[in-house]
Amino acid sequence: MDLGATLCLPRNPQCPTCPVKSHCQALEHTAVDQYPGRRPVRTLPSQRCRVLVLVNSQQEVLMERRPPTGIWGGLWSFPESPWDSPWESWCLDQLQLVPTRGDSLDVVRHTFSHFHLEMHPVLAQVRSPVGSVMEPNRWVWYNTASSDRRGFPAPIMRLLEKLTPRIRAGV
């Protein structure tokens, strides 16, 4: 029998109907309101990342399919650049995209069961060099006006919805 879930409730204990009330130390010492005790607050570690909201001349946003395992496995997300290097050079080196302007935006915080994620978004206009090719299963230029609703993690979807007016206006 699970007394903690049915009778020994934190806000409304059912002591008169409890089958073990004659052995209850809390009832004997009139300390029922102290049990069950609160769980200790668990401090979750924080991780931070820089997400790049890269917009091309057609007001499409670059999305990357995440690896099948790990956080948001297989879902579409914004590219992430390393925290300790300039995002502009990473953009050019890794994506062959030339940033023409960019704005750092407010931090977006999302909590998982085992850590907090602080996403530092950068909204940037980019141009693609002539002849650049992308892998269609890994990268896509996403049109925010389309009815194509790919699988996005909830915080990425919220950020995308928030930025859509700016994206459509040309960043």
Side-chain angles (χ1 to χ4, degrees):
M1 178 180 220
D2 188 2
L3 298 176
T6 56
L7 299 174
C8 199
L9 303 169
R11 290 197 177 100
N12 189 19
Q14 306 295 314
C15 297
T17 59
C18 181
V20 293
K21 67 181 175 190
S22 60
H23 303 291
C24 178
Q25 296 293 311
L27 187 60
E28 182 179 325
H29 293 54
T30 60
V32 172
D33 60 334
Q34 296 174 18
Y35 295 95
R38 291 183 177 250
R39 290 184 184 176
V41 176
R42 192 171 114 209
T43 304
L44 297 177
S46 289
Q47 294 180 17
R48 63 183 178 179
C49 68
R50 183 181 298 119
V51 293
L52 303 177
V53 183
L54 305 174
V55 183
N56 66 13
S57 59
Q58 288 82 37
Q59 282 70 47
E60 298 168 319
V61 180
L62 183 64
M63 302 303 284
E64 175 183 18
R65 178 167 276 182
R66 296 189 57 92
T69 58
I71 299 297
W72 300 331
L75 297 178
W76 292 90
S77 183
F78 300 116
E80 293 179 21
S81 71
W83 187 256
D84 56 352
S85 65
W87 67 269
E88 298 91 340
S89 58
W90 184 87
C91 227
L92 187 59
D93 294 343
Q94 299 299 313
L95 303 173
Q96 290 72 52
L97 296 173
V98 180
T100 56
R101 62 180 237 228
D103 296 320
S104 292
L105 306 173
D106 292 337
V107 173
V108 175
R109 188 172 166 113
H110 183 74
T111 300
F112 293 94
S113 61
H114 54 294
F115 72 95
H116 297 292
L117 178 63
E118 291 181 359
M119 294 184 291
H120 297 256
V122 174
L123 178 61
Q125 188 77 40
V126 294
R127 61 182 171 80
S128 181
V130 176
S132 66
V133 178
M134 299 200 145
E135 302 170 44
N137 292 331
R138 181 167 178 213
W139 301 98
V140 67
W141 285 105
Y142 178 73
N143 181 343
T144 59
S146 78
S147 60
D148 176 12
R149 294 293 168 212
R150 294 176 178 267
F152 296 118
I156 297 300
M157 190 68 212
R158 284 191 300 270
L159 182 57
L160 185 60
E161 288 171 351
K162 179 182 175 182
L163 294 176
T164 292
R166 262 181 92 175
I167 292 165
R168 290 185 185 161
V171 181

